[in-house]
Every structure is written in structure tokens, then in C-alpha cells.
Amino acid sequence: MREGAAVDRTRRRTRRLLALAAVPPALEAAVIALLTFHSARGLSPQVTAVWPYDSYHDMRWLLVYHNSWTTFLLGLLAITLVRGMLSAGLTALAWPEHTPRPSFRWLARRNLEVAALAIVIISPWAALAVAYSALALSWYLLASLLPMLVLAPFLVRGGVVDRWWRGLPSLALFGWSLLNFVVLTVAGGLASAVPLWWSVPVAAAAGMANGLLWRRTVAAAVSPGRVRLARLPVAPLAIVVIMASSVAAQSLVGLTAGGPTDWRIPVLTERLPDRVPHAVIALAGHDSNYDGRPAVDPRVQRFSYRGLDDQQRPLPYEPEDTHQSLGASAALLATQIDALHKRTGRPIALLGESEGAMVARTYLEKWPMSSVTAAVMFSPLGRPGRVYYPPPGYSGWGMVAGWELRVIATLANTTKKVDSEPDEPFIRSVLADAPFYRNRTLCPVAGVRMIAFLPLVTAVEAPPGEFARIPTVQVPALHGFPVGQERVRRSVINFLAGEPVERPLREYQFIQWLGAAWQAPTLALTLNPVWSAGREADPAFTGDICEAR
């Protein structure tokens, strides 16, 4: 009889655990579906994830959706209380049946403490995720995820046992928390891929999976197995390293992306074939530099972020010159296009990489009637301007995220050759004209043949949904990939010669779905007064680009 009663008790606790873990994600998914908030569907499975994925979910929403210090602080208090009590309930229901459990009061107090600590630790990384959504750079997204994987087993122990800060977590804890990351990634992708309202049962199923993983992680945390380095405060050391890494990540991103470079691609170092009818202007990306060397072919010219000299030659420039606004760069490009067209008598083709591609696209929007008849964009930013933060001294959506990014950038700049600021004119121009860049970067322009060469990692950068209405060539590469690859070089020449070129990858949309769980939610265009007067539709809610409101 006692054994049967124990089995019944275990079943009831399991049902309660699964219900508590499933209902909150389903409710968030239902609200998102009701709002037709397509780009946010991948986030709801994380509502009841194990630490710290749950706090990462909360902080991304809060850093995007607050518009004053008051709303931020009230939101911070609310998510701390809700997260602490929800985690205490999940921990209590997940506790192993034959292991003595602390009182719920103790669990509540401890999980509230862990919730507050997790917010402090996670906040800088959530701010980097916001920066990623502002510029759509995958480096920031990937950099913000690695600390989650490291911190998870430490914080899981924090809500369960005393002296959790000492010693290394067990391999089982690492394994179960890593499995939760995989589950959340797959569930977020599935929630983004299915029809809108089907995301609700997907989120509920993911929540039940979270509940089972809470059971496994709590059991692993209370297991009396041998703890390695039991006398060392390993958790505080790990937390300090993780917090410092949020600053180091800024420098690492620049180093990994290549840092300041003199962009020398084949079109600059080789003569164009006679079958190419254009004169070409090549536009390098952010933090590039130029020493003034002319291209081998007189029909080809390097774009200068400083403009032309008295003899209409591009001036040398330094990486800092690339930090000006896209509008200012587009105005310089307009002058250079007119000069090159006048000198050669040929139609102009633009070949831009990263920021250079965005300068070219800005020019095509602001100067629709020109001598440009072709545009090649390498690694254009994938749906940038999805969040906002106001300039210093102003209130507005995302203001605390902006201040966090300024602090991180100030510390990071002490180790960088070229300072990078979250309020530099280039970034502010993207944020100010976000409706256009979010909606129309990869849209056709009348009278201009266009093509985009997209590195495969761009699929992680863009939220699920339509991403291009111009021909694309998707290349297995990282952002800012070298355009000297032989296959890419041939494709560029063929395109400039007027031949059709398009090579999409079937995996692209699949990777978009998998990245959906880890992006910051998009700020609705209609909420921000800076954007609300625009004529653009919002791809975050329609799933389509190139649409008018």
C-alpha cells in the first residue's frame, strides 16, 4: 500500500511539474500569436528553461521593451520576483522523491537570490544581443551565447544546494543543461516554422521538456557524488571571468572579423574582361582603410569614405572615417559616381561589402535616377535596425540597453586600436532609418540589376521569414568573407557581364529557424515615435519584406 501511495504521489508531482513548466510558455506563445508577432515565436519555449536561459529570455524582452528608467526598474523587480518564485516551484516539484527537500520558504528565498544574481550576470550579454539586433552581426549573437553554456550548471546548483559556489559542477549537470540549450534551439526553430497558432502547442511541449530537464538537473545538483575542487570558490571565479568576457568580446569580435584592413579584392587587382560594360566602384566595409593605390583597371575605382581630391581621385582614408553616417557616405558616393561616369562614359556598377553594401543601398534609395545600373552586395546586414536605444541624454525605448553598451564599449576601447562607439554616426543612422533598412535592404530597385552574396551565417542574423526579393548567392562562409574565392569571383564577373547568377542554399531557411530562439525580440515600428511616421510595413509582424504600410 505504501509503495502504491508513493507511486501515486510521484505521478501527481510529475503532472504538476509538467503543467507548471508547460503553461507559461504556452501563454506567451498565445499572446505572440494573437499579436501576429512572427519574429518572436522562437522565444516562448525559454520561459521555463533551466538557469540561465530563463533569465536570458527575460532580460532580452526587458532591454528592448522599456522606455524609461522607471519602467525598466519596475520590470526588473517584476521579472526577479516572478522568475524566483517560478523557479522555486519548479525546483520543489522536480526534487527527487527519496531525498530530503528543504522547505519551500528556503527554496523561494534561494531562487530569488539566484534570479537577482543571474540578472546581473546575464544583463551585459543580453545587451550584446540587443546590439546584434541593431546591426544584425552574427558575431555578437554567437559571443552572447557561449557564457550561457558555461554558467548554466553553476546557477542550477545555486537554486538547489548550500555552498553552491564551491567546487565544479558534475558532468551530469553540464550535460543536462547543454541538452536544454539544444531543446530550446530546436523548439524555437519549430515554433518559428509551423503555422502561427501551432506555435502554442509547440511551446507547451517544449515547456514539458523543460520540466523533465528540471527534474534531471535538480537530481544531479543534489546528488551526493564527489565534488571536484570542493574547497575552491569556482563559481565566483567563473562569474568574474564571464562578466569580464562581455568586455573582451567586443575586441574579439573585431579581431575575428578581421579588424582594420586594406580591402584588396580581385576586381581591384585584375583587369575587367571586355565583356563587362560597366565602370565599377568598390566599397569596403566598416573599419577598412585605403592607402590611395589605384586599381589596376582604370575602369575600376575604390570608394573613399573621405571623398575625392582636386583631380577627382579617391582620397586615402583611415578606419575612423568609416564610422560616419550612411547618409554622409552615400552623398560622397554620389559625387564619386558622377565623376567616374563623366570620365569613362560607362554605366556604373557598385560592388559593396558589409557597410559598403549598405552605403550602396542607401545611395540607390536616395538617388533613384542615376548612372548606376548594377549593384553587387557582399554580406549586407540582414534586417538591421530591429531594436532601438536613444542617444545619450534622451529617454526612449531601450535606453538602459544603450547605457550598458556604452559602458562595455568604453572598457573595450582600452584594448582596441580603433575605438568603436554604440553612438557613432554609422550606427545611429541605422537606428534612425531602421524602418527602411529592416524592410528594404534586399529589395529590387527600378532600373538596377541587383544581387546579394550572403554568407551562410547571415541565416542566423535574419529572423525567420522572407529575407530577399533580389537574386542571391548563398556562400558557406562567415560575415565579411573574402570575395577573392574563385567561384565567387567568376559569379561577380558573370553578373557584371549581364548573365543570370543565382545559387540559393536549401539549408538557409533551416538555419534561420534554428537561430530564432536566441535573437532579441524586435521592437515594433509603430511603438517608437522616431519610426512611427514612416511608410514601411513591419516584417516582424508580417513575415514579408518590401511591403508598404
Side-chain angles (χ1 to χ4, degrees):
M1 293 292 292
R2 290 181 180 178
E3 186 174 330
V7 170
D8 289 341
R9 188 167 59 250
T10 300
R11 287 175 178 172
R12 286 196 300 271
R13 287 182 60 194
T14 300
R15 286 195 293 267
R16 291 171 185 168
L17 172 64
L18 296 182
L20 182 59
V23 170
L27 288 175
E28 180 174 303
V31 172
I32 287 172
L34 188 66
L35 297 173
T36 65
F37 199 170
H38 289 276
S39 69
R41 287 194 281 163
L43 290 144
S44 52
Q46 299 166 34
V47 177
T48 52
V50 301
W51 303 104
Y53 309 119
D54 48 2
S55 294
Y56 189 55
H57 162 274
D58 301 342
M59 286 305 299
R60 282 176 291 158
W61 277 107
L62 180 60
L63 286 173
V64 173
Y65 280 94
H66 73 277
N67 58 2
S68 68
W69 281 102
T70 301
T71 55
F72 177 80
L73 293 174
L74 289 175
L76 197 65
L77 177 62
I79 65 174
T80 302
L81 293 174
V82 172
R83 181 57 56 198
M85 296 307 295
L86 178 59
S87 298
L90 290 167
T91 302
L93 292 171
W95 203 273
E97 185 68 32
H98 302 293
T99 303
R101 195 199 77 187
S103 68
F104 185 79
R105 183 176 180 179
W106 185 92
L107 288 176
R109 185 181 70 252
R110 173 54 61 84
N111 278 272
L112 285 168
E113 293 169 353
V114 174
L117 177 63
I119 284 172
V120 173
I121 301 169
I122 298 304
S123 187
W125 297 100
L128 286 179
V130 171
Y132 148 75
S133 291
L135 292 180
L137 287 175
S138 56
W139 301 109
Y140 289 105
L141 178 64
L142 299 175
S144 66
L145 289 181
L146 291 177
M148 306 301 115
L149 303 177
V150 175
L151 285 173
F154 290 102
L155 293 178
V156 167
R157 288 177 71 203
V160 176
V161 298
D162 278 322
R163 298 185 178 84
W164 60 274
W165 58 87
R166 292 186 178 180
L168 287 172
S170 66
L171 289 177
L173 265 180
F174 275 104
W176 290 120
S177 56
L178 179 61
L179 180 60
N180 201 187
F181 174 82
V182 175
V183 168
L184 296 173
T185 301
V186 174
L190 188 58
S192 301
V194 298
L196 184 60
W197 280 97
W198 278 97
S199 61
V200 177
V202 169
M208 287 190 281
N210 290 338
L212 296 176
L213 286 166
W214 270 97
R215 169 171 286 181
R216 293 295 186 178
T217 54
V218 170
V222 301
S223 172
R226 177 172 174 263
V227 177
R228 297 180 181 276
L229 305 178
R231 295 186 177 182
L232 292 180
V234 179
L237 293 174
I239 290 170
V240 169
V241 170
I242 291 299
M243 295 287 286
S245 298
S246 64
V247 175
Q250 288 276 314
S251 301
L252 183 61
V253 165
L255 180 63
T256 309
T261 58
D262 186 4
W263 197 53
R264 301 295 292 178
I265 57 173
V267 74
L268 296 170
T269 58
E270 302 173 2
R271 296 188 68 87
L272 291 175
D274 293 337
R275 61 195 177 101
V276 174
H278 300 87
V280 176
I281 295 179
L283 300 90
H286 197 257
D287 276 352
S288 62
N289 58 44
Y290 174 51
D291 60 8
R293 281 180 294 169
V296 170
D297 193 318
R299 291 182 291 164
V300 179
Q301 199 172 77
R302 175 75 177 268
F303 169 69
S304 171
Y305 285 90
R306 287 186 57 210
L308 303 175
D309 63 15
D310 293 340
Q311 300 180 37
Q312 304 296 292
R313 295 175 302 190
L315 288 165
Y317 68 80
E318 297 298 325
E320 292 85 352
D321 296 313
T322 67
H323 295 191
Q324 66 192 351
S325 72
L326 287 170
S329 296
L332 294 175
L333 177 59
T335 301
Q336 194 164 336
I337 288 170
D338 291 343
L340 185 61
H341 177 63
K342 182 178 180 179
R343 177 170 66 81
T344 63
R346 292 174 178 266
I348 304 299
L350 303 178
L351 191 157
E353 182 262 335
S354 192
E355 182 185 350
M358 305 306 290
V359 172
R361 186 62 184 88
T362 304
Y363 168 84
L364 293 175
E365 181 67 14
K366 294 181 179 295
W367 283 267
M369 303 297 292
S370 72
S371 55
V372 174
T373 60
V376 181
M377 296 191 289
F378 293 98
S379 295
L381 303 182
R383 300 257 295 271
R386 299 197 299 273
V387 297
Y388 185 78
Y389 51 87
Y394 293 86
S395 60
W397 294 102
M399 60 180 299
V400 176
W403 282 111
E404 286 200 56
L405 292 174
R406 291 177 194 113
V407 171
I408 293 172
T410 299
L411 296 174
N413 285 337
T414 60
T415 63
K416 295 168 67 175
K417 292 182 179 180
V418 180
D419 287 355
S420 181
E421 302 289 347
D423 294 297
E424 67 183 44
F426 164 61
I427 297 176
R428 292 248 60 102
S429 66
V430 174
L431 295 176
D433 292 328
F436 167 71
Y437 294 114
R438 187 191 295 188
N439 193 27
R440 296 189 181 273
T441 297
L442 297 183
C443 296
V445 175
V448 182
R449 291 181 66 240
M450 300 176 68
I451 191 169
F453 287 78
L454 304 177
L456 195 55
V457 74
T458 304
V460 179
E461 297 169 0
E466 189 178 26
F467 63 91
R469 287 193 185 177
I470 61 175
T472 60
V473 175
Q474 281 126 39
V475 183
L478 300 175
H479 183 87
F481 64 94
V483 292
Q485 300 174 23
E486 182 58 27
R487 188 177 67 176
V488 174
R489 188 190 70 83
R490 288 198 306 268
S491 296
V492 171
I493 296 300
N494 290 340
F495 174 81
L496 293 177
E499 301 175 15
V501 177
E502 186 167 13
R503 190 165 51 249
L505 292 178
R506 289 173 297 187
E507 300 89 349
Y508 198 86
Q509 189 176 48
F510 178 73
I511 297 173
Q512 270 188 295
W513 290 333
L514 291 183
W518 305 112
Q519 298 175 2
T522 302
L523 180 63
L525 290 181
T526 54
L527 282 181
N528 192 356
V530 177
W531 301 336
S532 57
R535 60 182 175 84
E536 305 290 347
D538 195 341
F541 291 85
T542 66
D544 299 319
I545 61 172
C546 309
E547 303 290 327
R549 181 178 292 174

